[in-house]
Amino acid sequence: ETGVTQTPRHLVMGMTNKKSLKCEQHLGHNAMYWYKQSAKKPLELMFVYSLEERVENNSVPSRFSPECPNSSHLFLHLHTLQPEDSALYLCASSQDPRNTIYFGEGSWLTVV
Amino acid sequence: DAKTTQPTSMDCAEGRAANLPCNHSTISGNEYVYWYRQIHSQGPQYIIHGLKNNETNEMASLIITEDRKSSTLILPHATLRDTAVYYCIVRVARNNAGNMLTFGGGTRLMVKP
């Protein structure tokens, strides 16, 4: 138990579906992150939020849309994804962007 | 952030110390050394980090050379549950921008009975 909870743990969606991944942190942190881990590739940073403002968007396609309604919650809205978007999506948080990052267990996404 | 070099894989006997090396010869003065591990199908787990001095916590010890160009993560008594991919990362603790944890390929540690 890392204090960062992701739901759902597994998601299968069609290319025309709209779905969302949810992340909640119980650590009182002010920064939250989305990372993507594809098969046999290193983790890739997607988005960074600090105090609910997006501070980093790492050239991620617009079919991925993040939302941070408050410092404890982070969403990743998914729309018209491609099969190559199938991956492990990891949420993480830290006290602020300077401090240690703690990861959730991840959401396994399969696009069919 | 500086690049790191780690062996692709290592074996360790259960109960023995596992010593995982990392080279970061281009590290700059304000970059920290972080270690994470990832057990199959799970999110990365923070282990330890340091700047100049050696560090120890309940999970591991981190030994950083005096010139800071390399470090070693030590798991003092490895168990089968320590089998994982171990990532060595160097990063600046930025205050105003994103926290750039850049993961490489890591070392796949196999602890054997």
Side-chain angles (χ1 to χ4, degrees):
Chain A
E1 177 59 49
T2 65
V4 181
T5 304
Q6 291 187 240
T7 54
R9 292 296 315 279
H10 299 270
L11 176 64
V12 179
M13 61 184 289
M15 289 188 284
T16 58
N17 291 159
K18 286 184 182 181
K19 297 286 185 182
S20 297
L21 304 180
K22 178 184 175 182
C23 176
E24 183 175 1
Q25 57 94 0
H26 311 275
L27 302 169
H29 289 168
N30 292 311
M32 297 188 76
Y33 313 79
W34 281 114
Y35 280 82
K36 174 185 177 182
Q37 187 172 31
S38 303
K40 299 184 179 179
K41 292 175 75 173
L43 275 78
E44 304 169 61
L45 178 65
M46 300 176 73
F47 300 104
V48 180
Y49 278 83
S50 178
L51 295 172
E52 300 152 43
E53 284 191 29
R54 190 189 310 180
V55 296
E56 189 76 22
N57 177 349
N58 229 16
S59 303
V60 178
S62 59
R63 58 185 184 270
F64 295 92
S65 174
E67 178 190 2
C68 188
N70 55 62
S71 60
S72 299
H73 293 86
L74 185 65
F75 295 88
L76 187 62
H77 302 301
L78 314 170
H79 177 48
T80 60
L81 296 192
Q82 304 298 312
E84 57 265 30
D85 295 322
S86 299
L88 177 65
Y89 288 85
L90 291 156
C91 176
S93 72
S94 62
Q95 179 60 44
D96 62 45
R98 295 170 295 177
N99 292 109
T100 301
I101 289 179
Y102 296 91
F103 287 84
E105 294 296 333
S107 293
W108 283 98
L109 173 67
T110 302
V111 181
V112 297
Chain B
D1 291 344
K3 184 178 176 180
T4 62
T5 305
Q6 298 178 253
T8 305
S9 63
M10 290 181 64
D11 290 345
C12 178
E14 187 179 18
R16 303 295 294 272
N19 298 290
L20 293 96
C22 180
N23 287 322
H24 31 79
S25 57
T26 59
I27 194 170
S28 53
N30 60 350
E31 287 185 307
Y32 289 76
V33 180
Y34 274 76
W35 283 84
Y36 283 79
R37 72 181 183 184
Q38 189 172 24
I39 296 169
H40 183 62
S41 301
Q42 298 181 20
Q45 178 188 22
Y46 165 76
I47 301 173
I48 198 167
H49 75 282
L51 183 63
K52 295 181 181 179
N53 300 322
N54 297 337
E55 302 288 343
T56 296
N57 62 21
E58 64 278 6
M59 289 184 68
S61 295
L62 174 61
I63 309 298
I64 303 174
T65 58
E66 193 170 340
D67 64 6
R68 302 206 329 118
K69 293 186 177 184
S70 66
S71 60
T72 301
L73 179 75
I74 301 172
L75 308 178
H77 305 287
T79 71
L80 298 179
R81 287 181 295 180
D82 292 321
T83 293
V85 178
Y86 287 77
Y87 297 99
C88 169
I89 302 159
V90 293
R91 58 169 274 265
V92 176
R94 292 190 177 95
N95 191 26
N96 57 350
N99 195 328
M100 300 294 187
L101 272 185
T102 303
F103 286 78
T107 296
R108 185 171 299 275
L109 176 69
M110 179 73 71
V111 180
K112 298 185 175 181

